[in-house]
Amino acid sequence: MKPTEHQPRRGPAEDSSWPEQLTARVVEPGDAPALHGYDVQRDLAAHYRFGEVVLVALAGEPPSEVAGRAFELAMTFASVITIAEAPTHAASLARLCGATPSGVLATGMLTLVEQVRAELEAHAPLLHWLDEPSADAPTCARAKHVGDRAGAKNLADALTRIGFSCRAPLPDPSVAALVLAVLHSVGLCRIDQLHAALCIARLAPLAAEAMASGAGTLRDYPLTLPPFQYEEPPA
Amino acid sequence: MKPTALPPLSTRVGHAGWGDNQFCGRSVLRDLAGRASWIDLLALALGRQPLRPDDNQLLEDVAASAMAADPRIWPLKIARLASSYGGTLIPLSAAHAWFEGAPNSPWTAGACAELLVGLAVELGERVDEPAALQQALTRRGLDAGKLPGFGIAVRPEDERVVAVAESRRRRGHPPGKFFRLAESVAAMLQPPRPLNIYGAFAAVSLDLGFAPEQIGTLTTVLISVSVVANVVEGAAQAPPVLQRLPNDRVLYQGPERRPSPRALSTRRA
């Protein structure tokens, strides 16, 4: 039966009761917004660096000076993402195809969250070990090559200089593993916290590299890198 | 220095040639243009052969039956929020980005298909025996809790599944083995969890020969029309109220206001 002016259509949305408000649990809106209860404008902005505020957001509590510096060091080491990697490659290619800044960033960010997901899945044994350390650290945490080992030593030296040590020391770690160990030690123990932190760390370099690509120079793009071979599917 | 040699990646999807393109083993010029339906192309894209016309029609019927495009429905509200600034394609991506692995999304049809195939393999010849099915469900711990493809929010049955059954009846298209199995599972679940549209997609697609790993994508693409409709209208409206709700429509339940440790030590100093 077609509804009339006096009999509007009815359905589950009309005939059930629903809350009238959204629930916020982290950011208190208003003229003096707060993050986990801390006044953003008059407290956090006055007493904490931006990197530390990121950690407040993700962990829920302000870090000590040393933990804040360690987090920033880990985030700096985690921020390295080059055009050889799919997120920046995809974002740069979008730029090359003439995408708007929002199109470039959307392409890069969607690929970035996938990159980080895959990385965290590959490090699942390490994340489990960080929760419950034992004698043998997982092999996925080991340095992969000489440059990786040197990078991890650079991070370890920087952490030593500020007086920070991880809860569970890793033998011969990769940069990625040591970054995760530091993030875990400063309170980012859950997958969703680590996922967010690594995406935040890489977003700025990704955006900068992609935006530096010119728009509309398709012939300058290495179309066959890597090569593809078309194969007829079986009949 | 010579660059690193890279092994070629194989693709069965496409090749751009001079004067004609290949798509999944077909010449666009000779085989597809003017011959293939949109569902044929989708079947090829998923790695299988085009369907028979009757089966094409069945999938189209299920897709049409699945239209529940009310913008208040949770997944479609995401489309409305993302498109509230007037864009179309990035919102379309955002509206789909969360589907993979989410139980309340079309992707769950793939998980339901895996479940149905697992039950069918386990039951073998006894697939139509209620006692055997009940035992299989109990053994797998599936008779309680959430099951992909079963259960529906707010209402007692999924009107979209009713529409699927009605369209089948009109066309004289009897339910296949997997659809019957899905209906039998639904009939046994306590508390009741009726077959939902994603379960129906799973069962119909299995009966048409799709593999479970193809069915999440197939269902997502076929159901996306409702997302498209919401993104298009949402972008045209770009309503400020969706861009930002009034603060009094947000209930804050986080930590109470408190000074940070550094603010406290500054005060003490």
Side-chain angles (χ1 to χ4, degrees), chain B residues 53-73:
Chain B
D54 272 5
D55 294 342
N56 260 0
Q57 190 61 60
L58 177 59
L59 266 188
E60 288 191 0
D61 285 349
V62 178
S65 303
M67 284 301 103
D70 188 321
R72 297 169 297 187
I73 297 174

Side-chain angles (χ1 to χ4, degrees), chain A residues 44 46-53 55-56 61-74 158-159 161-165 182 185-186, chain B residues 260-263 265-266:
Chain A
L44 294 178
H47 301 293
Y48 292 87
R49 298 181 298 277
F50 173 71
E52 292 176 308
V53 174
L55 184 52
V56 173
E61 296 297 336
S64 68
E65 179 66 29
V66 170
R69 285 291 298 131
F71 174 70
E72 290 173 335
L73 282 170
L159 293 166
R161 281 195 292 277
I162 62 167
F164 180 86
S165 50
V182 174
S185 293
V186 299
Chain B
S260 70
R262 288 184 199 164
S265 62
T266 303

Side-chain angles (χ1 to χ4, degrees), chain A residues 104-152:
Chain A
V104 172
L105 285 174
T107 302
M109 287 166 75
L110 286 175
T111 316
L112 178 61
V113 298
E114 281 293 278
Q115 182 196 44
V116 172
R117 177 188 58 76
E119 242 173 68
L120 290 173
E121 284 175 3
H123 283 93
L126 171 63
L127 301 180
H128 179 70
W129 184 85
L130 288 170
D131 287 335
E132 295 173 28
S134 58
D136 296 324
T139 53
C140 68
R142 297 261 174 190
K144 306 292 181 292
H145 49 79
V146 174
D148 195 17
R149 186 166 292 119

Side-chain angles (χ1 to χ4, degrees), chain A residues 12-14 20-24 28 32 36-38 43 47-48 52 61 65 102 225 227-231 233, chain B residues 6 8-12 14 22 25 72 90 154 245 248-254 256-258 260-263 266:
Chain A
E14 289 81 10
E20 294 191 346
Q21 290 174 302
L22 290 172
T23 302
E28 184 179 0
H36 290 294
Y38 301 109
D43 186 338
H47 301 293
Y48 292 87
E52 292 176 308
E61 296 297 336
E65 179 66 29
S102 59
L225 178 67
F228 278 84
Q229 179 69 48
Y230 180 70
E231 292 171 0
Chain B
L6 301 171
L9 297 170
S10 71
T11 176
R12 292 177 175 179
Q22 300 296 309
R72 297 169 297 187
I90 292 174
V154 185
L245 290 165
D248 63 8
R249 288 305 190 129
V250 175
L251 175 65
Y252 177 70
Q253 291 190 328
E256 294 288 315
R257 290 271 172 163
R258 51 188 170 158
S260 70
R262 288 184 199 164
T266 303

Side-chain angles (χ1 to χ4, degrees), chain B residues 159-234:
Chain B
E159 69 289 342
R160 298 168 293 181
V161 177
V162 175
V164 170
E166 177 59 20
S167 66
R168 297 189 85 139
R169 191 190 58 76
R170 276 202 300 265
R171 292 191 189 278
H173 203 302
K177 164 184 149 184
F178 285 102
F179 205 92
R180 292 196 310 275
L181 175 59
E183 288 181 318
S184 301
V185 170
M188 283 181 184
L189 295 174
Q190 285 300 331
R193 276 152 290 161
L195 184 65
N196 65 36
I197 190 63
Y198 304 136
F201 262 110
V204 167
S205 306
L206 286 171
D207 283 329
L208 295 181
F210 284 93
E213 61 271 19
Q214 298 168 329
I215 289 173
T217 309
L218 174 73
T219 305
T220 298
V221 173
L222 289 176
I223 220 163
S224 280
V225 174
S226 58
V227 181
V228 170
N230 274 287
V231 163
V232 168
E233 186 177 77

